[in-house]
Amino acid sequence: MRYITLTFLVISSACLAQQGKLIAEIKAHKDGTMLWWAGHNSWLIKSGDLLIATDLWLDDRPRFEPAPITTEELAEELDVSFEPMRTTIISTSTRRRFS
């Protein structure tokens, strides 16, 4: 059942983006909690009037499909955005020579 739900969310989000209706659906949602996939690892979560985004990547370079919502559309609606912490792991190797 999990796979069917995820597939539905992906198809639903892609269809809404093509028709330009995703922002209209986000604005219209007022009661309860709703979840939208925004491509890649990005999710939009709306509960009541609060809109939360996680790991937004709305730039169209180098995507296979355009983002389902633009930054301009989202800017006026978004309340909270959680971005992943970008870290670089530096690996150091130490060689010891024994005589």
Side-chain angles (χ1 to χ4, degrees):
M1 187 66 179
R2 225 183 269 174
Y3 298 109
I4 293 170
T5 304
L6 181 58
T7 303
F8 175 75
L9 285 172
V10 171
I11 292 170
S12 174
S13 181
C15 292
L16 288 170
Q18 290 174 358
Q19 298 171 5
K21 295 184 179 179
L22 181 56
I23 191 64
E25 185 174 318
I26 291 170
K27 288 180 180 182
H29 180 78
K30 300 292 180 196
D31 297 323
T33 302
M34 187 70 175
L35 175 72
W36 295 274
W37 179 64
H40 296 279
N41 292 332
S42 306
W43 292 91
L44 300 170
I45 306 153
K46 188 167 182 184
S47 183
D49 289 331
L50 181 67
L51 182 62
I52 301 168
T54 63
D55 196 15
L56 282 177
W57 181 24
L58 302 178
D59 190 5
D60 284 338
R61 297 169 294 176
R63 296 176 71 128
F64 291 113
E65 295 290 328
I69 192 167
T70 66
T71 54
E72 292 81 12
E73 290 173 327
L74 195 55
E76 292 183 16
E77 299 297 316
L78 188 62
D79 296 304
V80 179
S81 179
F82 293 103
E83 298 298 323
M85 195 164 94
R86 309 283 187 217
T87 61
T88 303
I89 299 173
I90 301 172
S91 175
T92 59
S93 63
T94 305
R95 292 186 182 181
R96 293 185 183 182
R97 295 186 182 202
F98 297 98
S99 313

